[in-house]
Amino acid sequence: MSRKPFIAGNWKMNKTIDEGIALVNELKPLVAGIDNVDIAVCPTFVALAKVGDAIKGSNITIGGQNTFWKESGAWTSQVSPKFLVDAGCKWVIIGHSETRGRFGTVDDELGKVLDYFGEKDVTVNMKAKFAFENGLIPIIACGEMLAEREAGKTDEVIAAQMKTDLAGFTKDQAMKMVIAYEPVWAIGTGKTCDSDEADRVCGLIRGIVKEMYGADVADAVRIQYGGSMNEKNAAELLGKPNIDGGLVGGAALVAEKFATIIKSAK
Ligand code: PEP
């Protein structure tokens, strides 16, 4: 089966509302008419609705960068799928390494490990299920840290993440889900994973999906690569059989670069 490539830009904590609108207004003509690639941008929560207005009528869609598994109520700071859908979102990134608790870092001044967001595989799974139930498609991110790769544990780390993150979806949901393989050591570092190795791990993920949901789902599911993908290395990565798209951080903040990546997937 041929899978439609999907390129998503994760803006992280960048671009004010006006800057976000300007960026998509620059991007629109550069990607106009491309209908064989799904294109998304994921602005900050506060910019979603306005950027959502700005992309209306274009081939660009929007997504959130995180969500929560309750609909509404006393959950200060959280944003449920209902609000993302209301702002025009189609997608939501879940389990990005920057929101996973295991990405805690040692703060030298405080002398302790900070567990910034505390996300675990079980909460990734709860968020993904709730996102599906409320009309969003989750982009579920996974990836090993440098120490895990150096210890030869990449495959077991990815398998453990995937088995919990992807558990209990309906077959229809599993067909639609998007998985992003993002080796943590490659995110924002300029150190891209070797394309054959990225393809191998994406293939491993596809094998896990096959075990969990069957060959038809494994064949349909889209697996993105993320980690310093840019306008120069995108074509090689996106040319690999198991890489169906990209989750792009830094290079998605510059319209020309992001458009080049999208065109490389075309
Ligand atoms: C990301 O934010 O998911 C990412 C891959 O960032 P970058 O492209 O900057 O490495």
Side-chain angles (χ1 to χ4, degrees), residues 10 12 96 182 186-188 226-229 247-250:
N10 174 15
K12 312 192 188 201
H96 191 282
E182 298 211 305
I187 299 179
S228 299
M229 183 182 273
L247 183 55
V248 186

Side-chain angles (χ1 to χ4, degrees), residues 197-209:
E197 173 60 7
D199 185 54
R200 186 191 71 79
V201 180
C202 289
L204 172 89
I205 293 169
R206 203 175 297 287
I208 295 166
V209 172

Side-chain angles (χ1 to χ4, degrees), residues 142 144 149 153-160 162-163 166 179 181 196-211 218 223 242:
C142 64
E144 81 288 357
R149 172 159 285 269
K153 293 193 168 148
T154 298
D155 294 10
E156 82 185 70
V157 167
I158 298 295
M162 290 287 83
K163 281 179 184 150
L166 309 183
I179 299 166
Y181 169 54
D196 285 331
E197 173 60 7
D199 185 54
R200 186 191 71 79
V201 180
C202 289
L204 172 89
I205 293 169
R206 203 175 297 287
I208 295 166
V209 172
K210 186 174 174 189
E211 272 170 36
I223 304 176
N242 276 303

Side-chain angles (χ1 to χ4, degrees), residues 8 52 130 165 186:
F130 202 60
D165 294 355

